[in-house]
Amino acid sequence: MTVAKSPMKTQKADGTLRLNPNGDLVASTVEVLRDSMLKALESAKIAVVLDLASTKQIDSLGITLVLGLFKSCQKKELAFSIEGASTDLLRVFKLFNLTKFFPIAEAIRE
Amino acid sequence: MSSFADESIISDFVAESREHLATIEPDLLRMEQEGAKVSSEVINRVFRAIHSIKGGAGFFAFEALKKLSHAMEGVLMQVRDGKLKVSAELMDVVFASLDRLKAMLDDIQASDTVPYAKELATLEAILSGQGLIIGETVKGREKGAQRDFDLDAESVRSALRRGMNIFRAIAFLHRDIRDKGMTPLAFLNHALSVGTCLDAFIDIEAIADLEHCLDQDLPVTLLFATVLEPDLVALGLKLPIEQIKVLELEALRKEVKAKAKGTTEIAVASAPVMEAAAIQPEVEPEIVADAEADPSAEGEAPSELPTSDKAARDMNKDSGNETLRVRVDLLTNLMNLAGELVLGRNQLVRAVTDYQHEIPGLGAILQNVNQVTTEMQEGIMQTRMQPIGTVFSRFPRIIRDMSRQLSKQIEVKIEGAEVELDKSIVEMLVDPLTHIIRNCADHAIETPAERAKARKDPSGTIHLHAFHEGGQINIAVHDDGRGIDAKKVLAKAIAKGLVTKAQGAEMTEREIVHLVFAPGFSMAEKVSEISGRGVGMDVVRTNVEKLGGHVEMETELGMGTTVRLRLPLTLAIIPSMIVGITEHRFAIPQVNVVEFVWVKASEVAQRIEQVQGALVLRLRDKLLPLVRLADVLGIQRVFTDPVTGENVPDRRESLADRRGELPEEPENAAERKGDRRADWRSDHNIIVLRVGKNHYGVIVDELFDIEEIVVKPLSGFIQGTKCFSGATILGDGRVIMILDAGGLASAANLHFTDLQAEELRRAEEEKRNLALKASRRRSVILFEAAKGERFTVPQDHVLRLERIVKSKIEFIGDREYIEYRGEGLPLVRLDQHLEVRPLKADLEELFLVIPKIPGQNSTARPPAGILISEILDALDVEVELKAVEFKGPGLLGSAVVQEHLTLFLDPVALLQAAGLMGGDTE
């Protein structure tokens, strides 16, 4: 996957920052995404939602990135959750028991 | 929780709720399979069942049960109303909740201690329209530097019961996963193929913040159960051995036992996972109590089987019929009493039979007591019979869960669920069958991609079939998977030292495949990725044999495998044949008895022989291996000396050896004179026994009656004796041993395959002899050409015989013709091609032999006719042809037929030599 000009959409509403990466969380994208996330995180007030609706794949670095984001949220006392995870992503998160640390919502499937 | 509720009402509520849960599990599976197409009746049935449980729980104030069933009811209502679509993920939550409900019902008074928050939260999230939310908030979940594994006690108990090791494995996200070209999902799927994952986590404490996280190689810790040893686990997971650690099982066992009643969740604290690469394998994981556990709850040692499963089996399936709940211990007691009654009846009959004539009416009374006892015993046995479906019904769920884990499509078909077995057998079948089924799903059934490549339906099938046959219950588990490669099994067995190369070379394919039942075979099977089964199949065989059963396997590479269990209906009271050797008596279960054979002394030499040093009986053209029971059991054979009347040791090695001087028997002394084989004391009583597919004969001194014997288990110190399966008390009060047909064959070191090979050899020899005989037997036409010169041709080489008048023969050049069916038929004279005399010139009437050409139909024009002078006969002869001194085309040889030397001709070869075969043949 190639990273577009903006690797991630961000939305803010009622103190909740919504991060929506434009593609997969893999080695080729994580660094750009991390930089964007670092920037966006500065404006978060209450909660951060990582929306993975556009993400199909995640590799080891992608998981590290998600956990790094979660850890930064913890430090800033921001609630963190994931939404829109595909079945495969959900399976990875479940098998690693990440669901014990933060809520993960599956993508609503038609 | 209610304190005033009457215990028996609660007990009824629990029993009914368990019935509900057992009945809705198949319905839930159906809902998942059929999705939107599932009938509303199925959903309503599930809904009503959960609703009943909720109602009862509310009435008795079992809060946890009420809340969870209420949430389940809500979700099911949404499904029923079409507001929620059924998905595998949704069903995961529903099934997980169902398991929690079962756990609560297993100990209803402690139901509130069963952890259910996760399932409840997920169900409530679905109800509130948030979609499927799994997980909990971070708050309060971390416990400092230590991380607790959250384990389901049942999973641990199940793993321990199956003899699995529990491992902690650490894999680094980059070093062990990314650098080996795997995605995390692929790694986890791979790990799941090596064992059952009990828990996994990434140590949150080890993670830096977002800015620095990408430089870190985070460790993932897996806790999983498998039968493999650590080195093989490391190999399977592709991890360095130092990253694998076996957990202390004893501590886990104690923990599970202690908490069996109080809670179904335990926690195992692992060693703190430190910075990357700082693994500390020397730190032994510590077991700590879960915060949710009730420390005051008094634990009862868990039974061998999961309580929920027991509950399912304890249910009365026919809840709609008129039934009465009876405690199992009461039934067991009744069963024992019935056994004692049968023994008493046998003793009574034995004791008073002699007085029947002296006491009027005693015979009728005895008959009545006899019949009533038998009927009562059968009736009580019936109360303990349970349909095998109570075991089968658990498998669709297991397969459903495994299919999801293994990303396979597997369908379970069940047939004969209504077949009934004794409760004790049904219970003991759970483990072996579960083992087989898991093996089917895990190893035998291929992935959809593999199946598609092999041009199979992407969905595999496991077919469970129970049926009665020969007084036994047969359970067949068939899969349409990849089958077992006998070559690979043999190679692995040789590598493991289970058989030598030489032994392997002599083994049949069936014997090789059965090596998967050998102890110690399983682990190699798994790691070497030999297709098919093998993991722990020795456990299956041992368990089935303990039940007096037998297990067999048939496999076809690429097509599938069938494991067949043969089991007795009951273990308690069995009809048995009582046999004797000298003064000893033994019982042989009738289910093993095929027939009795009496070999008269005069027939011994013809019917009993030795094959490769072993005794065999020729029985209806089959070779039946024989064992002398006395020899196998180490009992000194004796016979009564006809002269002194004393019992003296019988030292005969061969059965055909005769005993000493015979006593005179005037009435037939003349017949027997000089023929000691007529002595009745040299006759042999042979009982043909069945062991699986094989039969063998046991030579005993005497055959007594068939009695219903009550099986008493053997004391511990003689349990290892493989020849005996138990003991019993005879009607005369004598304690005798029950023979184990399989153990006896094994103790006698019987080689059924050697005999099968010998039988095959003999059958082939017989076939050859028949073929040879057939080749000598011929149907021929006998004729003369010149006077006194006789010939034959095979009847099947002759199309027609025609009478002709010499004047009708015409010439074209040197060749003779005759009109035949409107065309000119060339004629051949034998003397033109063979060194025989010509036909007499003055014959007016001649005959034609018109040969039948192979492959030509009867309406085709024949190529030629052979002129002869006279047809003598059409007959069958059995002759051996001899070569003749002169050579000639079509001359097969000569033989004497009807006292005359006769030449045997092949007419087709003759016509070929005459150049008359043309292109007429096909």
Side-chain angles (χ1 to χ4, degrees):
Chain A
M1 113 110 210
T2 53
V3 181
K5 280 177 192 171
S6 168
M8 184 176 72
K9 285 179 204 149
T10 54
Q11 277 183 308
K12 274 177 272 183
D14 303 328
T16 298
L17 173 68
R18 197 172 186 85
L19 304 174
N20 183 197
N22 283 334
D24 297 342
L25 305 189
V26 292
S28 56
T29 63
V30 285
E31 286 194 17
V32 184
L33 283 169
R34 178 192 55 187
D35 295 344
S36 303
M37 285 173 178
L38 277 170
K39 212 173 202 178
L41 215 52
E42 288 169 9
S43 59
K45 299 276 188 252
I46 300 170
V48 173
V49 175
L50 180 63
D51 184 348
L52 295 178
S54 310
T55 304
K56 285 180 183 159
Q57 279 188 20
I58 190 162
D59 69 3
S60 304
L61 277 164
I63 287 184
T64 314
L65 179 74
V66 171
L67 292 174
L69 177 62
F70 162 65
K71 197 74 181 179
S72 286
C73 288
Q74 261 195 320
K75 281 186 181 166
K76 289 174 176 261
E77 296 189 332
L78 297 169
F80 176 73
S81 62
I82 292 179
E83 284 182 10
S86 69
T87 309
D88 275 355
L89 294 190
L90 191 69
R91 184 165 161 79
V92 176
F93 294 145
K94 269 171 78 177
L95 287 170
F96 280 145
N97 264 325
L98 298 185
T99 51
K100 285 182 187 293
F101 301 115
F102 41 81
I104 302 172
E106 189 190 13
I108 308 279
R109 291 191 296 171
E110 287 305 313
Chain B
M1 168 183 336
S2 171
S3 56
F4 62 86
D6 182 69
E7 282 297 319
S8 69
I9 301 177
I10 292 179
S11 159
D12 284 351
F13 160 67
V14 170
E16 279 164 19
S17 301
R18 282 174 172 166
E19 279 180 21
H20 285 311
L21 292 187
T23 52
I24 64 171
E25 196 165 273
D27 284 340
L28 287 173
L29 288 168
R30 215 171 133 187
M31 276 173 66
E32 184 178 20
Q33 281 160 9
E34 297 179 13
K37 290 179 194 161
V38 72
S39 75
S40 57
E41 192 191 328
V42 173
I43 302 177
N44 280 333
R45 203 158 49 215
V46 177
F47 180 80
R48 279 197 301 271
I50 296 291
H51 180 77
S52 302
I53 295 172
K54 187 191 84 169
F59 178 78
F60 294 113
F62 296 121
E63 282 304 316
L65 193 61
K66 186 184 79 178
K67 280 185 187 166
L68 190 58
S69 50
H70 178 68
M72 284 179 80
E73 187 192 37
V75 168
L76 289 166
M77 198 191 292
Q78 290 204 1
V79 173
R80 187 183 62 176
D81 297 344
K83 292 177 185 166
L84 200 59
K85 279 177 90 174
V86 174
S87 67
E89 289 72 26
L90 177 73
M91 296 313 288
D92 278 345
V93 182
V94 174
F95 277 122
S97 305
L98 194 72
D99 291 343
R100 292 300 189 202
L101 291 187
K102 281 182 187 168
M104 290 173 186
L105 290 168
D106 283 344
D107 187 355
I108 190 71
Q109 299 299 350
S111 58
D112 287 349
T113 64
V114 173
Y116 68 104
K118 196 166 95 178
E119 289 75 17
L120 186 65
T122 313
L123 291 170
E124 284 176 346
I126 294 169
L127 286 171
S128 65
Q130 293 173 41
L132 210 54
I133 293 183
I134 302 143
E136 296 157 43
T137 54
V138 176
K139 205 174 173 184
R141 295 299 304 169
E142 286 182 82
K143 299 184 178 177
Q146 279 207 337
R147 160 59 164 80
D148 287 352
F149 280 109
D150 287 337
L151 299 179
D152 186 342
E154 182 47 45
S155 308
V156 177
R157 196 153 53 216
S158 167
L160 295 179
R161 201 176 57 239
R162 287 161 197 216
M164 289 177 163
N165 290 319
I166 296 187
F167 292 92
R168 185 204 63 196
I170 294 175
F172 289 87
L173 277 177
H174 300 174
R175 192 200 312 168
D176 296 320
I177 299 176
R178 186 193 62 186
D179 294 352
K180 288 178 182 165
M182 283 189 282
T183 64
L185 183 60
F187 171 76
L188 289 166
N189 282 339
H190 186 63
L192 288 174
S193 70
V194 176
T196 306
C197 192
L198 301 173
D199 196 16
F201 82 98
I202 299 176
D203 187 30
I204 292 293
E205 288 307 301
I207 301 165
D209 57 11
L210 182 59
E211 194 172 354
H212 304 101
C213 66
L214 295 181
D215 304 326
Q216 284 185 283
D217 192 2
L218 295 175
V220 179
T221 308
L222 302 177
L223 195 73
F224 71 100
T226 173
V227 291
L228 303 183
E229 295 298 326
D231 53 339
L232 298 178
V233 170
L235 198 67
L237 289 180
K238 298 176 185 164
L239 291 176
I241 183 74
E242 60 272 16
Q243 287 173 223
I244 309 286
K245 180 154 187 71
V246 189
L247 297 190
E248 176 49 58
L249 285 185
E250 270 315 301
L252 272 174
R253 246 184 216 117
K254 281 180 195 161
E255 180 71 9
V256 171
K257 279 190 177 182
K259 297 167 85 57
K261 202 161 183 178
T263 175
T264 57
E265 192 161 297
I266 62 165
V268 184
S270 75
V273 181
M274 308 305 280
E275 290 299 317
I279 299 193
Q280 298 181 329
E282 72 280 3
V283 180
E284 192 62 35
E286 175 196 354
I287 296 181
V288 297
D290 186 86
E292 293 175 68
D294 177 6
S296 64
E298 276 191 31
E300 184 180 280
S303 59
E304 279 302 298
L305 294 164
T307 46
S308 56
D309 300 336
K310 272 192 152 182
R313 284 195 304 280
D314 288 349
M315 285 180 328
N316 181 351
K317 202 183 168 199
D318 302 321
S319 55
N321 298 336
E322 203 173 315
T323 56
L324 177 69
R325 289 181 206 287
V326 181
R327 289 204 321 274
V328 175
D329 59 342
L330 194 64
L331 281 183
T332 308
N333 194 27
L334 274 176
M335 183 77 188
N336 290 337
L337 289 173
E340 295 302 324
L341 186 64
V342 170
L343 281 181
R345 185 264 322 263
N346 294 350
Q347 288 172 343
L348 179 69
V349 171
R350 182 72 61 94
V352 301
T353 299
D354 294 344
Y355 302 99
Q356 280 193 55
H357 299 298
E358 296 167 29
I359 305 170
L362 181 62
I365 294 169
L366 280 181
Q367 200 175 3
N368 197 24
V369 168
N370 193 12
Q371 190 173 343
V372 171
T373 307
T374 302
E375 283 177 15
M376 196 177 87
Q377 175 245 322
E378 282 172 1
I380 291 174
M381 293 243 298
Q382 206 61 40
T383 64
R384 285 179 53 88
M385 297 299 257
Q386 282 199 311
I388 189 74
T390 52
V391 182
F392 281 3
S393 62
R394 55 189 279 129
F395 297 131
R397 168 71 190 280
I398 290 177
I399 293 303
R400 181 247 175 217
D401 290 353
M402 287 189 76
S403 310
R404 299 253 304 139
Q405 275 174 19
L406 300 167
S407 305
K408 292 180 180 177
Q409 294 171 24
I410 308 172
E411 192 188 343
V412 181
K413 284 185 183 167
I414 290 176
E415 203 178 333
E418 69 289 346
V419 170
E420 289 188 322
L421 277 163
D422 189 87
K423 181 179 158 55
S424 55
I425 299 180
V426 171
E427 282 175 3
M428 287 170 78
L429 271 179
V430 172
D431 274 1
L433 279 177
T434 308
H435 218 112
I436 295 169
I437 295 286
R438 286 187 64 89
N439 271 348
C440 284
D442 214 358
H443 308 298
I445 302 281
E446 312 91 329
T447 60
E450 286 171 325
R451 292 182 68 85
K453 207 173 165 188
R455 294 184 179 179
K456 287 179 171 180
D457 189 321
S459 171
T461 305
I462 298 175
H463 187 185
L464 284 155
H465 184 199
F467 57 98
H468 286 271
E469 191 184 79
Q472 286 183 301
I473 298 290
N474 285 250
I475 299 173
V477 183
H478 173 76
D479 68 66
D480 63 351
R482 51 171 66 99
I484 298 174
D485 189 337
K487 283 181 193 161
K488 288 184 180 174
V489 170
L490 182 60
K492 195 48 65 181
I494 291 171
K496 295 278 282 181
L498 296 172
V499 289
T500 62
K501 263 189 182 174
Q503 286 170 325
E506 289 182 3
M507 289 172 90
T508 62
E509 194 167 309
R510 189 169 175 273
E511 285 176 316
I512 294 169
V513 169
H514 276 70
L515 284 172
V516 302
F517 291 114
F521 190 85
S522 53
M523 285 183 280
E525 174 93 354
K526 177 106 182 178
V527 168
S528 63
E529 293 174 0
I530 292 175
S531 51
R533 316 228 166 93
V535 179
M537 291 302 276
D538 61 317
V539 179
V540 170
R541 188 182 64 174
T542 310
N543 283 0
V544 171
E545 286 180 353
K546 265 188 208 162
L547 294 169
H550 190 78
V551 58
E552 288 163 13
M553 185 185 268
E554 283 167 23
T555 187
E556 192 177 343
L557 199 58
M559 300 305 289
T561 304
T562 303
V563 180
R564 191 169 285 113
L565 316 182
R566 294 168 69 96
L567 297 152
L569 286 166
T570 177
L571 300 178
I573 299 179
I574 50 174
S576 295
M577 180 76 208
I578 310 299
V579 300
I581 305 175
T582 63
E583 77 276 17
H584 302 282
R585 299 285 174 270
F586 298 94
I588 301 178
Q590 204 182 7
V591 73
N592 295 118
V593 178
V594 181
E595 62 179 316
F596 305 115
V597 180
W598 175 45
V599 179
K600 285 195 277 185
S602 57
E603 294 174 350
V604 167
Q606 288 82 48
R607 299 191 61 186
I608 298 180
E609 55 187 297
Q610 295 231 343
V611 172
Q612 295 174 14
L615 279 177
V616 292
L617 170 72
R618 185 182 280 276
L619 182 63
R620 290 186 290 274
D621 294 332
K622 292 261 180 193
L623 294 178
L624 184 79
L626 290 180
V627 296
R628 287 202 266 210
L629 187 57
D631 292 356
V632 180
L633 300 179
I635 297 170
Q636 173 64 58
R637 284 179 270 130
V638 295
F639 75 100
T640 309
D641 189 301
V643 180
T644 63
E646 287 174 7
N647 280 348
V648 291
D650 176 2
R651 294 196 179 85
R652 291 178 305 165
E653 280 303 315
S654 164
L655 287 175
D657 291 347
R658 306 292 154 222
R659 289 166 180 158
E661 296 280 327
L662 288 175
E664 278 300 316
E665 286 182 57
E667 64 272 22
N668 62 353
E671 280 174 41
R672 283 192 293 100
K673 197 168 183 186
D675 183 9
R676 286 180 296 159
R677 289 175 299 173
D679 178 14
W680 57 271
R681 290 166 305 139
S682 287
D683 291 354
H684 291 290
N685 295 308
I686 296 170
I687 305 179
V688 182
L689 299 185
R690 175 194 297 122
V691 183
K693 279 188 174 173
N694 297 315
H695 291 180
Y696 71 98
V698 178
I699 303 173
V700 296
D701 289 350
E702 285 176 275
L703 296 172
F704 297 95
D705 215 350
I706 289 175
E707 279 193 31
E708 280 176 349
I709 60 164
V710 181
V711 180
K712 302 282 182 191
L714 291 177
S715 305
F717 59 91
I718 47 171
Q719 257 178 5
T721 326
K722 57 183 174 183
C723 292
F724 306 118
S725 60
T728 190
I729 305 167
L730 282 186
D732 60 7
R734 214 189 310 194
V735 176
I736 65 164
M737 307 298 278
I738 302 167
L739 294 173
D740 180 324
L744 209 57
S746 154
N749 206 17
L750 288 184
H751 295 291
F752 294 104
T753 46
D754 290 351
L755 282 177
Q756 281 160 3
E758 174 68 13
E759 260 175 25
L760 208 65
R761 193 189 63 73
R762 290 185 185 202
E764 274 172 9
E765 194 178 306
E766 184 81 355
K767 212 167 140 187
R768 272 201 304 277
N769 287 339
L770 280 174
L772 193 63
K773 204 173 171 187
S775 73
R776 287 176 188 161
R777 190 168 185 83
R778 298 150 201 267
S779 298
V780 294
I781 306 284
L782 183 66
F783 62 87
E784 264 186 359
K787 187 71 184 168
E789 275 184 355
R790 291 180 163 220
F791 300 86
T792 69
V793 288
Q795 282 183 18
D796 53 1
H797 283 190
V798 177
L799 183 67
R800 288 185 68 82
L801 297 168
E802 295 279 346
R803 186 197 303 265
I804 60 165
V805 182
K806 189 181 172 190
S807 57
K808 296 276 181 188
I809 297 176
E810 294 174 279
F811 286 86
I812 299 176
D814 290 339
R815 180 111 36 206
E816 291 172 290
Y817 289 87
I818 194 158
E819 190 194 335
Y820 181 72
R821 292 181 183 171
E823 292 185 54
L825 180 73
L827 299 179
V828 173
R829 289 177 184 263
L830 291 176
D831 58 294
Q832 291 168 347
H833 302 283
L834 303 172
E835 291 177 27
V836 295
R837 285 183 289 151
L839 295 175
K840 280 178 81 177
D842 57 349
L843 291 173
E844 275 308 310
E845 191 181 73
L846 293 168
F847 292 89
L848 272 185
V849 176
I850 301 177
K852 184 178 176 184
I853 308 303
Q856 196 176 56
N857 66 45
S858 57
T859 57
R861 189 176 71 87
I866 301 167
L867 271 177
I868 60 171
S869 60
E870 195 172 353
I871 297 167
L872 300 174
D873 206 349
L875 71 165
D876 287 349
V877 292
E878 199 173 299
V879 290
E880 199 162 344
L881 293 182
K882 288 184 179 155
V884 284
E885 286 175 4
F886 58 92
K887 300 271 183 213
L891 198 55
L892 297 172
S894 71
V896 175
V897 177
Q898 293 180 343
E899 299 175 351
H900 291 278
L901 186 67
T902 306
L903 293 174
F904 282 65
L905 286 179
D906 175 353
V908 179
L910 185 70
L911 296 197
Q912 263 168 349
L916 290 166
M917 289 297 285
D920 285 333
T921 49
E922 284 174 8

